[in-house]
Amino acid sequence: MSFVPKTQPFNGKINTVTLGTGDKAVVIGGQNVLPFYTFDAPIENAPKIGVEISDLANEWTAPGLKEFYAGCTTMAERAKKAETMPGADFICLHFESADPNGENRSTAECVADAVAVAEAITMPIVIMGCKNMEKDGELFSKISEALQGKNILVMSARSEDYKTVGASVALAYGQKVGAETADDINLAKQLNIMLKGLSIAPQNIVMNIGTAAVGYGYEYVASTLDRVRAAALAQSDADLQMPIIAPVSPDTWSVKESSASEEDEPAWGNCEERAINMEVATASADLIGGADAVIMRHPDAVAAIKKFITELV
């Protein structure tokens, strides 16, 4: 008598969220099993990889990045090049320079960049701001209006500004909204409830529950991912069944292990290799924990994670 394994799919299921339009649109979420548990049930939609394009990308010094984007001077040119990166599923525009405490680039300039990118590529677009709440609120609203009909995801709505961001992004212009919290299942659930209270459909909400470079308090990230996914699947908690996106690259490229020069830390080896390894280690940990999409930067890291996903799904 042959052995027939007992499968354990859950009754709870992660919502599906569609990003973008046309042939290049991607769907995240949809599974009713733990990450990569394909022996329990098929994974409806494999995790997706986004490529970060910063408006400060001219300051990137990693040789591999400089080589890949050689000849590109604008966000649109870099986005068009990133669209050809093997493993890429969507493009994330990171408007770091809008920060009033930094370059304080105008909202109009950022919107013009977003429009140029939307005209140059066909992949879905995700928007990240500068972490200044007032500037981000204005930026998110204007970009959502300018890219109406493109079905973009705008990160992030936080508990302090969810009404403003949620209303302008999702309700006024029909875009998807990212709910950002910091490694706390209760805060994540509460924010989702508040966004739904604005009449935003769950299928228009993606969670960013917080991430960090491995080794930098990552145990809090891992614990939160596990608890959120368990509640969504095992407990069928509808307030935690939104798919999860993890912006890996901003965290991993800013830590000392990725940025310290070989002159300062000769024992650590090649600086670019360290950054790639940090990005791969963090992205793979996020995916194993339950992230449905990760945002990355280096072509080699993207290729490694694409192989990781393909072989497990």
Side-chain angles (χ1 to χ4, degrees), residues 241-305:
Q241 289 178 334
M242 294 73 174
I244 297 169
I245 188 168
V248 171
S249 49
D251 281 326
T252 56
W253 282 83
S254 62
V255 296
K256 184 178 180 181
E257 287 81 355
S258 299
S259 59
S261 69
E262 293 162 44
E263 290 75 21
D264 290 339
E265 299 290 349
W268 289 5
N270 181 272
C271 181
E272 183 174 24
E273 290 180 4
R274 283 188 261 123
I276 293 169
N277 291 338
M278 182 66 78
E279 198 172 7
V280 170
T282 303
S284 58
D286 285 337
L287 292 169
I288 290 172
D292 301 278
V294 289
I295 296 170
M296 307 183 70
R297 183 180 298 178
H298 200 286
D300 291 351
V302 170
I305 290 299

Side-chain angles (χ1 to χ4, degrees), residues 212-244:
V214 290
Y216 284 80
Y218 191 83
E219 62 271 21
Y220 294 102
V221 179
S223 172
T224 305
L225 284 167
D226 287 345
R227 294 177 66 198
V228 167
R229 194 44 46 104
L233 297 177
Q235 301 172 24
S236 297
D237 191 333
D239 295 322
L240 289 169
Q241 289 178 334
M242 294 73 174
I244 297 169

Side-chain angles (χ1 to χ4, degrees), residues 108-274:
E109 291 176 297
C110 295
V111 172
D113 275 344
V115 170
V117 169
E119 291 173 349
I121 69 173
T122 56
M123 275 187 175
I125 294 173
V126 171
I127 302 296
M128 289 177 63
C130 63
K131 298 298 184 182
N132 180 279
M133 207 163 294
E134 183 176 349
K135 188 67 172 286
D136 279 351
E138 179 184 350
L139 184 63
F140 294 160
S141 177
K142 295 297 184 182
I143 290 179
S144 295
E145 180 182 13
L147 300 190
Q148 195 168 5
K150 294 292 186 179
N151 197 27
I152 66 173
L153 168 64
V154 177
M155 299 165 60
S156 301
R158 310 170 186 89
S159 59
E160 298 89 343
D161 64 355
Y162 77 95
K163 289 183 179 179
T164 302
V165 174
S168 63
V169 169
L171 299 181
Y173 302 116
Q175 314 286 17
K176 302 299 192 291
V177 61
E180 180 181 340
T181 50
D183 302 322
D184 188 301
I185 185 173
N186 296 314
L187 294 179
K189 180 173 180 174
Q190 181 182 24
L191 182 54
N192 290 336
I193 291 172
M194 292 190 295
L195 287 170
K196 292 199 296 184
L198 295 177
S199 299
I200 299 174
Q203 291 73 25
N204 291 332
I205 301 172
V206 175
M207 290 189 291
N208 170 16
I209 62 171
T211 187
V214 290
Y216 284 80
Y218 191 83
E219 62 271 21
Y220 294 102
V221 179
S223 172
T224 305
L225 284 167
D226 287 345
R227 294 177 66 198
V228 167
R229 194 44 46 104
L233 297 177
Q235 301 172 24
S236 297
D237 191 333
D239 295 322
L240 289 169
Q241 289 178 334
M242 294 73 174
I244 297 169
I245 188 168
V248 171
S249 49
D251 281 326
T252 56
W253 282 83
S254 62
V255 296
K256 184 178 180 181
E257 287 81 355
S258 299
S259 59
S261 69
E262 293 162 44
E263 290 75 21
D264 290 339
E265 299 290 349
W268 289 5
N270 181 272
C271 181
E272 183 174 24
E273 290 180 4
R274 283 188 261 123

Side-chain angles (χ1 to χ4, degrees), residues 29-48:
Q31 66 273 20
N32 67 332
V33 293
L34 293 174
F36 302 112
Y37 273 44
T38 53
F39 43 82
D40 279 338
I43 302 294
E44 185 172 323
N45 300 296
K48 301 299 187 291

Side-chain angles (χ1 to χ4, degrees), residues 60-144:
W60 292 349
T61 58
L65 289 171
K66 293 172 75 69
E67 180 182 353
F68 184 81
Y69 292 109
C72 299
T73 58
T74 66
M75 288 190 87
E77 290 172 346
R78 289 189 179 93
K80 193 169 181 64
K81 179 65 176 178
E83 198 172 31
T84 70
M85 188 182 296
D89 297 301
F90 62 89
I91 303 299
C92 176
L93 305 183
H94 191 183
F95 292 100
E96 297 179 273
S97 70
D99 188 355
N101 296 314
E103 294 191 12
N104 197 24
R105 196 156 170 259
S106 73
T107 297
E109 291 176 297
C110 295
V111 172
D113 275 344
V115 170
V117 169
E119 291 173 349
I121 69 173
T122 56
M123 275 187 175
I125 294 173
V126 171
I127 302 296
M128 289 177 63
C130 63
K131 298 298 184 182
N132 180 279
M133 207 163 294
E134 183 176 349
K135 188 67 172 286
D136 279 351
E138 179 184 350
L139 184 63
F140 294 160
S141 177
K142 295 297 184 182
I143 290 179
S144 295

